[in-house]
Amino acid sequence: MSMSLDFPVDNPPTRYHPLTTQLPIKVATDAVSVRYGDKLALEDVSLEIPDRAVTACIGPSGCGKSTFLRCLNRMNDTIDTARVSGSIRIDSEEVNGRDVDPVVLRARVGMVFQKPNPFPKSIYENVAYGPRIHGLAETKAELDHIVETSLIKAGLWAEVADRLHHPGTSLSGGQQQRLVIARAIAVNPEVILMDEPCSALDPIATARIEELIDELRENYSLIIVTHSMAQAARVSQMTAFFHLGKLVEYGPTEEIFTNPLDQRTQDYITGRFG
Amino acid sequence: MQSSLFAVLALLVLTAVGFLIGRRRAVAAANGRASWLHSLPNYYGYYLALWTGLPAFILLALYGLFGASLVNTLALGELEREAAPLIREYEAQLARDPEYQALAEETLQIEAEALSARNEMFRAEREGGDAERYLRALGTLTAQRNEIAAERQARRDRVAVSVAARAPHTVPGVRARAGFEYWRAPSERRELFISDARALAFNEGLASRNTEEIRAAALALRPWEDLFRWSAAGVALALAVGGLAFARTRIRAGFRARDRVEGVIGLALMMTSAIAILTTLGIVFSLLFESIRFFASIDWRIHEFLFGLHWSPQIAIRADQVGQSGAFGAVPLFAGTALITLIAMLVAAPIGLMAAIYLSEYASPRLRAWAKPALEILAGVPTVVYGFFALLTVGPFLRQVAMMLGYEDAVTQSALSAGLVMGVMIIPFVSSLSDDVINAVPQALRDGSYAMGATKSETVRHVVFPAALPGIVGALLLAVSRAVGETMIVVMAAGQGANLTANPLESVTTITVQIVMLLTGDQEFDSPKTLSAFALGLVLFIMTLILNIIALRVVQRFRERYE
Ligand SMILES: Nc1ncnc2c1ncn2[C@@H]1O[C@H](COP(=O)(O)OP(=O)(O)OP(=O)(O)O)[C@@H](O)[C@H]1O
Ligand SMILES: [Mg+2]
């Protein structure tokens, strides 16, 4: 895939950076807007998200971060009033295209939610859920293998190996969140979306998830929404700052945090509003 | 009447005054600064009003509940005591009357014979002997006994008249005769006597007789009634004033009126739930006692009742028929109930569940907005309407279909038609409850499944349905207990024959239907036939109780697993 260099220059102010040049672009959005009924929740968002890196979305509550994330795997389809316009490409394939099956797309773009939401099934069945419905495993042994590697990748295997058939809901909050991450990577997605994955967790569980995110970066393109500036700074390579439905500023995390171009970004990361 | 009205009004006024005084005094106690008080001033008002009104009203309520019967007991007790010489004389004369004694002997003998005939009959029935013969013998014995009983009654009446005639026509004499009449009367006549006396004494409705005795009883009632009425009103007012005075002294700035009022509210709420629970207990106990009477009347052959294959409770032709009895093997009823419930659930469970899934997962909000209420209207159709739908439309249709398929014995009233229509009746019940349950499944679970790339039906099958399962099981079990308890459709559509069959095209009968059959029409309430209805009711109650317990268990197990 070729790297496009024509970042919009003035609004939003995004910058060319060596980091992005080294990595191929995974997701590119162009003038994406979302309406819920009459309400414009996201306006004209254009950005390019690199592969094998973590992109953080930050911004005050209600600015449209979750809405943006849900565009990328067409979860907004499940909301009757939501209307999405603009173009979103993953590997140059149009996500909103008429012939794209959202069900197939969602297997490629995994999602982890703010509150861990394991299914009312065993740990094993939770992870096996995706592979089963997408027919990824021919035999029981293959399925076992997928479940095991997913749990290992999610850093949960050691804790649950001996109780795979206990209910997923019997785990602690942090374990549940890692279970849900294992569930998402079991179908071998290309992009993983995480909407405030640590907001329901304590600092220790948060640290584990952050470690995990850092490891997952090796293989996936990750996009996470977070309200913690520190977390964004720790785990992400790119940062997008949203405000009132608009993308205000997008660039390498280091620069956004040390030298923001926009006054609003400056105010937000220094804690003056939001 | 007026005096109690006056007392109630006075109490209301006092309560209001209590409220005002409480408020005023609380504000005064805080030197006019309401914020110094522990509670808002109104709470001090409520506190005082409660102390003023509550004990007094409780007393009045007790008087209203028990006052009249207490007065009756006291007044008529007085009269009965005055009738003691007459009663002694009456008993002495009967004891001296040889003919009367002979009749009593004869009655005892006939009853012993009837008892043995009855036992013979049961044996014959069990062992296949000539039960008919004993039945006929029983009939003759019954007739004889009734004749003798009438004769004895006539003799007693004659003696009573002659004894009463000896009492003088003075006030004490008439009072004695009133007491004597009351003493001799059987219980329902006693009630009539009292209500006539009350009618004359207090203008409570019309008296059916107006004799000297009743007038005497009325006069005896009055002083007691006055005493109780005035003392109740007086004590109530005294309680109100006392309560007011007492509570008033307790009001200080730091007094926790709000907590006290809260306590009374809690207590009142507890009492209402206690009423609900006690009513249930009362019903259960009455069922239990009547059932015990029934089991006693069939000589404690409970196993025969529970496992017997033959149900034909004989019709009691006359109230005092001796040893009348039938076969009380309830298995055909249990089987009929189970068959119809099964058919109904086979209809209602799949259709209701799928309707619920469609409504909650697939239907657009607009469709849902009118389809759900429309389904619930189905639940509002009176069951008797379903009943004649089953009887007039479904039954004949099924019969024709069965005949066309070569089943010649098909009847209109069949288990199948009752079960099908009952199933339709239960659909909205199942769908509405399951719909609520399915809607209660967190959206986060659905989102999680969709985000994995699952389709709608996969999400429903693998995530939503298992998550809602405990609730759905609960809904289905509730539907089963509805079906088990449903009566009207079965009365109309399933027939009354107590057939023991698994063929849905035959007519069957259920527990509820038999209860209706046993208790409708003119019946006396202590023949085994009527009492058996209570035993059936008890069985029904235990069955639904067990169903509910199982439902709770299942729900709990799933909860433990998934929460
Ligand atoms: N289903 C919906 N229907 C209508 N409006 C919605 C819906 N979901 C979100 N919105 C609106 O869209 C706007 C953006 O919401 P979004 O959830 O994307 O915010 P967010 O940035 O994720 O906020 P937070 O940080 O609080 O999660 C908000 O104003 C919200 O009220
Ligand atoms: Mg959000």
Side-chain angles (χ1 to χ4, degrees), chain A residues 103 106 117 120-121 129 134 167, chain B residues 444 449-450 452-453 462 561-562:
Chain A
V103 167
R106 288 181 198 140
N117 57 348
K121 297 170 178 296
Y129 185 77
H134 295 295
Chain B
S449 173
Y450 291 138
M452 294 299 303
H462 299 309
R561 197 182 294 176
Y562 294 129

Side-chain angles (χ1 to χ4, degrees), chain A residues 82-157:
Chain A
R83 295 282 169 275
V84 182
S85 67
S87 140
I88 302 167
R89 276 164 292 131
I90 296 182
D91 289 343
S92 70
E93 191 188 331
E94 179 58 49
V95 162
N96 287 326
R98 221 170 265 284
D99 50 347
V100 172
D101 182 357
V103 167
V104 175
L105 171 74
R106 288 181 198 140
R108 289 173 59 198
V109 184
M111 189 163 195
V112 174
F113 296 83
Q114 175 172 359
K115 261 181 70 187
N117 57 348
F119 300 139
K121 297 170 178 296
S122 69
I123 294 171
Y124 181 93
E125 285 300 326
N126 259 286
V127 182
Y129 185 77
R132 269 197 215 280
I133 57 178
H134 295 295
L136 300 186
E138 301 271 314
T139 63
K140 176 86 171 76
E142 270 178 51
L143 192 59
D144 288 349
H145 180 70
I146 292 178
V147 170
E148 182 175 343
T149 48
S150 307
L151 283 170
I152 290 174
K153 275 194 225 162
L156 190 60
W157 178 251

Side-chain angles (χ1 to χ4, degrees), chain A residues 93-274:
Chain A
E93 191 188 331
E94 179 58 49
V95 162
N96 287 326
R98 221 170 265 284
D99 50 347
V100 172
D101 182 357
V103 167
V104 175
L105 171 74
R106 288 181 198 140
R108 289 173 59 198
V109 184
M111 189 163 195
V112 174
F113 296 83
Q114 175 172 359
K115 261 181 70 187
N117 57 348
F119 300 139
K121 297 170 178 296
S122 69
I123 294 171
Y124 181 93
E125 285 300 326
N126 259 286
V127 182
Y129 185 77
R132 269 197 215 280
I133 57 178
H134 295 295
L136 300 186
E138 301 271 314
T139 63
K140 176 86 171 76
E142 270 178 51
L143 192 59
D144 288 349
H145 180 70
I146 292 178
V147 170
E148 182 175 343
T149 48
S150 307
L151 283 170
I152 290 174
K153 275 194 225 162
L156 190 60
W157 178 251
E159 286 154 73
V160 300
D162 56 341
R163 47 169 173 156
L164 285 179
H165 295 284
H166 288 220
T169 42
S170 67
L171 298 174
S172 75
Q175 289 173 326
Q176 286 189 13
Q177 198 60 302
R178 276 179 281 151
L179 174 65
V180 173
I181 292 173
R183 185 174 80 189
I185 56 189
V187 288
N188 208 12
E190 299 155 26
V191 181
I192 298 177
L193 312 172
M194 295 187 175
D195 194 346
E196 301 180 39
C198 302
S199 67
L201 304 182
D202 69 82
I204 294 169
T206 301
R208 293 240 31 185
I209 302 279
E210 285 180 9
E211 228 172 86
L212 176 59
I213 291 172
D214 210 48
E215 285 163 21
L216 293 175
R217 182 159 65 89
E218 304 276 305
N219 301 306
Y220 306 93
S221 169
L222 288 110
I223 306 170
I224 77 166
V225 170
T226 176
H227 277 287
S228 153
M229 294 306 107
Q231 185 172 58
R234 277 196 302 268
V235 301
S236 73
Q237 285 72 52
M238 298 293 285
T239 297
F241 171 63
F242 291 80
H243 185 231
L244 297 177
K246 291 204 184 76
L247 177 63
V248 173
E249 189 165 350
Y250 176 56
T253 303
E254 234 174 72
E255 292 188 23
I256 294 274
F257 275 88
T258 53
N259 186 21
L261 294 182
D262 195 288
Q263 185 59 39
R264 288 168 292 178
T265 320
Q266 169 92 43
D267 289 349
Y268 183 71
I269 58 181
T270 53
R272 231 162 291 165
F273 79 96

Side-chain angles (χ1 to χ4, degrees), chain B residues 8 346 465 517:
Chain B
V8 168
L346 284 180
F465 189 76
M517 295 295 144

